[in-house]
Amino acid sequence: MTDTIPDNNSEEKKDGCEAIRKERDEYLEGWKRAKADFINYKKEEESRLKSTFDFQRMFFAEELIRILENFRLGLQAWKGECPEKTGMELIRNQIQDMLKRFGVEEMRSEIGTPFRPETSECIETVEGREGESGNIVEEVEMGYTMNGKVIKPAKVKVAK
């Protein structure tokens, strides 16, 4: 008969391996969380950057629209035809084309349609014919949208 001595060393090895697996799993879960957090952070930063870029583009477009409106007023005041007026019209057209490439579109206010404060700014109320109350009777300045968002409301006169 042989004496068998229990092998405590193999039990210790099993416990050690289990502890190492547990630690490995904790590190792996931590790494996965950190990776997911980084991916979310990256998406948020891209969104913030896009938002900032869109805001700057909109600001730039608003400034160009002011210049375009001044061209319009200047050309309306210009009497007769001359090469200078033609040149000013060409510059105005170039600015309009550039704005279109950046997603800016003219927004016309239809005369006779109800006034909508989301797209128009009432600068004056005038006496209107019967049934015209609350309707647009004149567009003083057209409005503009950029990618579907109003960046400059139209300036209109509305019937009382």
Side-chain angles (χ1 to χ4, degrees), residues 15 19 50 68 75 78 83 87 97 100 106 109-110 122 132:
D15 290 343
K50 182 185 179 316
L68 196 59
L75 288 168
W78 211 315
D97 290 343
K100 284 179 186 174
E106 296 175 350
S109 297
E110 297 287 327
C122 178
E132 275 190 337

PDB file of all heavy atoms in Angstrom, residues 15 19 50 68 75 78 83 87 97 100 106 109-110 122 132:
ATOM      1  N   ASP A  15      -6.736  27.793  -7.755  1.00  0.00           N
ATOM      2  CA  ASP A  15      -7.171  29.070  -7.164  1.00  0.00           C
ATOM      3  C   ASP A  15      -6.428  30.238  -7.802  1.00  0.00           C
ATOM      4  O   ASP A  15      -7.006  31.289  -8.076  1.00  0.00           O
ATOM      5  CB  ASP A  15      -6.946  29.053  -5.649  1.00  0.00           C
ATOM      6  CG  ASP A  15      -7.887  28.116  -4.920  1.00  0.00           C
ATOM      7  OD1 ASP A  15      -8.914  27.726  -5.533  1.00  0.00           O
ATOM      8  OD2 ASP A  15      -7.610  27.769  -3.744  1.00  0.00           O
ATOM      9  N   ALA A  19      -8.100  33.286  -9.966  1.00  0.00           N
ATOM     10  CA  ALA A  19      -7.869  34.695  -9.611  1.00  0.00           C
ATOM     11  C   ALA A  19      -7.336  35.468 -10.816  1.00  0.00           C
ATOM     12  O   ALA A  19      -7.739  36.606 -11.082  1.00  0.00           O
ATOM     13  CB  ALA A  19      -6.895  34.787  -8.434  1.00  0.00           C
ATOM     14  N   LYS A  50     -19.105  69.820 -36.198  1.00  0.00           N
ATOM     15  CA  LYS A  50     -20.054  70.072 -37.282  1.00  0.00           C
ATOM     16  C   LYS A  50     -20.977  71.234 -36.918  1.00  0.00           C
ATOM     17  O   LYS A  50     -21.246  72.106 -37.739  1.00  0.00           O
ATOM     18  CB  LYS A  50     -20.878  68.825 -37.577  1.00  0.00           C
ATOM     19  CG  LYS A  50     -21.856  68.998 -38.737  1.00  0.00           C
ATOM     20  CD  LYS A  50     -22.729  67.776 -38.921  1.00  0.00           C
ATOM     21  CE  LYS A  50     -23.723  67.908 -40.027  1.00  0.00           C
ATOM     22  NZ  LYS A  50     -24.459  69.142 -40.133  1.00  0.00           N
ATOM     23  N   LEU A  68     -25.692  91.494 -50.218  1.00  0.00           N
ATOM     24  CA  LEU A  68     -26.577  91.258 -51.357  1.00  0.00           C
ATOM     25  C   LEU A  68     -27.782  92.198 -51.321  1.00  0.00           C
ATOM     26  O   LEU A  68     -28.180  92.740 -52.356  1.00  0.00           O
ATOM     27  CB  LEU A  68     -27.032  89.798 -51.343  1.00  0.00           C
ATOM     28  CG  LEU A  68     -27.647  89.232 -52.598  1.00  0.00           C
ATOM     29  CD1 LEU A  68     -26.674  89.318 -53.764  1.00  0.00           C
ATOM     30  CD2 LEU A  68     -28.055  87.792 -52.355  1.00  0.00           C
ATOM     31  N   LEU A  75     -28.976  98.855 -56.863  1.00  0.00           N
ATOM     32  CA  LEU A  75     -29.386  98.655 -58.255  1.00  0.00           C
ATOM     33  C   LEU A  75     -30.789  99.192 -58.509  1.00  0.00           C
ATOM     34  O   LEU A  75     -31.081  99.673 -59.620  1.00  0.00           O
ATOM     35  CB  LEU A  75     -29.295  97.174 -58.620  1.00  0.00           C
ATOM     36  CG  LEU A  75     -27.863  96.644 -58.760  1.00  0.00           C
ATOM     37  CD1 LEU A  75     -27.858  95.125 -58.841  1.00  0.00           C
ATOM     38  CD2 LEU A  75     -27.182  97.257 -59.978  1.00  0.00           C
ATOM     39  N   TRP A  78     -30.474 102.905 -59.099  1.00  0.00           N
ATOM     40  CA  TRP A  78     -29.727 103.269 -60.295  1.00  0.00           C
ATOM     41  C   TRP A  78     -30.680 103.446 -61.459  1.00  0.00           C
ATOM     42  O   TRP A  78     -31.376 102.526 -61.859  1.00  0.00           O
ATOM     43  CB  TRP A  78     -28.737 102.164 -60.632  1.00  0.00           C
ATOM     44  CG  TRP A  78     -27.479 102.638 -61.297  1.00  0.00           C
ATOM     45  CD1 TRP A  78     -27.359 103.532 -62.313  1.00  0.00           C
ATOM     46  CD2 TRP A  78     -26.161 102.220 -60.976  1.00  0.00           C
ATOM     47  NE1 TRP A  78     -26.061 103.700 -62.670  1.00  0.00           N
ATOM     48  CE2 TRP A  78     -25.288 102.900 -61.852  1.00  0.00           C
ATOM     49  CE3 TRP A  78     -25.618 101.343 -60.062  1.00  0.00           C
ATOM     50  CZ2 TRP A  78     -23.914 102.727 -61.825  1.00  0.00           C
ATOM     51  CZ3 TRP A  78     -24.253 101.173 -60.033  1.00  0.00           C
ATOM     52  CH2 TRP A  78     -23.417 101.853 -60.897  1.00  0.00           C
ATOM     53  N   PRO A  83     -22.543 100.593 -68.226  1.00  0.00           N
ATOM     54  CA  PRO A  83     -21.630  99.473 -67.953  1.00  0.00           C
ATOM     55  C   PRO A  83     -21.405  99.236 -66.446  1.00  0.00           C
ATOM     56  O   PRO A  83     -21.247  98.097 -66.010  1.00  0.00           O
ATOM     57  CB  PRO A  83     -20.324  99.886 -68.631  1.00  0.00           C
ATOM     58  CG  PRO A  83     -20.686 100.934 -69.612  1.00  0.00           C
ATOM     59  CD  PRO A  83     -21.937 101.587 -69.106  1.00  0.00           C
ATOM     60  N   GLY A  87     -21.988  95.750 -64.432  1.00  0.00           N
ATOM     61  CA  GLY A  87     -20.938  95.150 -63.614  1.00  0.00           C
ATOM     62  C   GLY A  87     -21.428  94.839 -62.203  1.00  0.00           C
ATOM     63  O   GLY A  87     -21.121  93.774 -61.646  1.00  0.00           O
ATOM     64  N   ASP A  97     -24.977  83.089 -56.615  1.00  0.00           N
ATOM     65  CA  ASP A  97     -24.561  81.737 -57.002  1.00  0.00           C
ATOM     66  C   ASP A  97     -23.724  81.086 -55.903  1.00  0.00           C
ATOM     67  O   ASP A  97     -23.890  79.899 -55.609  1.00  0.00           O
ATOM     68  CB  ASP A  97     -23.769  81.766 -58.313  1.00  0.00           C
ATOM     69  CG  ASP A  97     -24.628  82.096 -59.514  1.00  0.00           C
ATOM     70  OD1 ASP A  97     -25.880  81.991 -59.409  1.00  0.00           O
ATOM     71  OD2 ASP A  97     -24.066  82.479 -60.567  1.00  0.00           O
ATOM     72  N   LYS A 100     -25.944  79.935 -53.115  1.00  0.00           N
ATOM     73  CA  LYS A 100     -26.663  78.714 -53.496  1.00  0.00           C
ATOM     74  C   LYS A 100     -25.785  77.480 -53.316  1.00  0.00           C
ATOM     75  O   LYS A 100     -26.249  76.437 -52.866  1.00  0.00           O
ATOM     76  CB  LYS A 100     -27.166  78.800 -54.938  1.00  0.00           C
ATOM     77  CG  LYS A 100     -28.372  79.681 -55.103  1.00  0.00           C
ATOM     78  CD  LYS A 100     -28.812  79.753 -56.549  1.00  0.00           C
ATOM     79  CE  LYS A 100     -29.931  80.774 -56.696  1.00  0.00           C
ATOM     80  NZ  LYS A 100     -30.295  80.981 -58.094  1.00  0.00           N
ATOM     81  N   GLU A 106     -33.363  81.477 -51.603  1.00  0.00           N
ATOM     82  CA  GLU A 106     -34.288  82.598 -51.404  1.00  0.00           C
ATOM     83  C   GLU A 106     -35.628  82.045 -50.947  1.00  0.00           C
ATOM     84  O   GLU A 106     -36.061  80.981 -51.381  1.00  0.00           O
ATOM     85  CB  GLU A 106     -34.457  83.379 -52.703  1.00  0.00           C
ATOM     86  CG  GLU A 106     -33.187  84.046 -53.169  1.00  0.00           C
ATOM     87  CD  GLU A 106     -33.337  84.721 -54.521  1.00  0.00           C
ATOM     88  OE1 GLU A 106     -34.379  84.514 -55.195  1.00  0.00           O
ATOM     89  OE2 GLU A 106     -32.417  85.448 -54.915  1.00  0.00           O
ATOM     90  N   SER A 109     -42.134  85.468 -50.050  1.00  0.00           N
ATOM     91  CA  SER A 109     -43.415  85.529 -49.336  1.00  0.00           C
ATOM     92  C   SER A 109     -44.495  85.833 -50.361  1.00  0.00           C
ATOM     93  O   SER A 109     -44.446  86.869 -51.027  1.00  0.00           O
ATOM     94  CB  SER A 109     -43.383  86.621 -48.264  1.00  0.00           C
ATOM     95  OG  SER A 109     -42.421  86.320 -47.297  1.00  0.00           O
ATOM     96  N   GLU A 110     -45.432  84.927 -50.484  1.00  0.00           N
ATOM     97  CA  GLU A 110     -46.505  85.096 -51.463  1.00  0.00           C
ATOM     98  C   GLU A 110     -47.504  86.140 -50.963  1.00  0.00           C
ATOM     99  O   GLU A 110     -48.018  86.038 -49.847  1.00  0.00           O
ATOM    100  CB  GLU A 110     -47.228  83.763 -51.676  1.00  0.00           C
ATOM    101  CG  GLU A 110     -46.350  82.671 -52.249  1.00  0.00           C
ATOM    102  CD  GLU A 110     -46.035  82.888 -53.714  1.00  0.00           C
ATOM    103  OE1 GLU A 110     -46.892  83.431 -54.443  1.00  0.00           O
ATOM    104  OE2 GLU A 110     -44.922  82.507 -54.120  1.00  0.00           O
ATOM    105  N   CYS A 122     -43.043  91.059 -39.621  1.00  0.00           N
ATOM    106  CA  CYS A 122     -43.961  92.136 -39.996  1.00  0.00           C
ATOM    107  C   CYS A 122     -43.318  93.471 -39.625  1.00  0.00           C
ATOM    108  O   CYS A 122     -43.055  93.733 -38.455  1.00  0.00           O
ATOM    109  CB  CYS A 122     -45.297  91.965 -39.271  1.00  0.00           C
ATOM    110  SG  CYS A 122     -46.454  93.295 -39.636  1.00  0.00           S
ATOM    111  N   GLU A 132     -58.703  90.421 -46.191  1.00  0.00           N
ATOM    112  CA  GLU A 132     -57.240  90.374 -46.270  1.00  0.00           C
ATOM    113  C   GLU A 132     -56.570  90.416 -44.903  1.00  0.00           C
ATOM    114  O   GLU A 132     -55.354  90.269 -44.822  1.00  0.00           O
ATOM    115  CB  GLU A 132     -56.704  91.561 -47.086  1.00  0.00           C
ATOM    116  CG  GLU A 132     -56.689  91.352 -48.551  1.00  0.00           C
ATOM    117  CD  GLU A 132     -55.920  92.481 -49.252  1.00  0.00           C
ATOM    118  OE1 GLU A 132     -55.793  93.583 -48.697  1.00  0.00           O
ATOM    119  OE2 GLU A 132     -55.448  92.223 -50.367  1.00  0.00           O
TER     120      GLU A 132
END
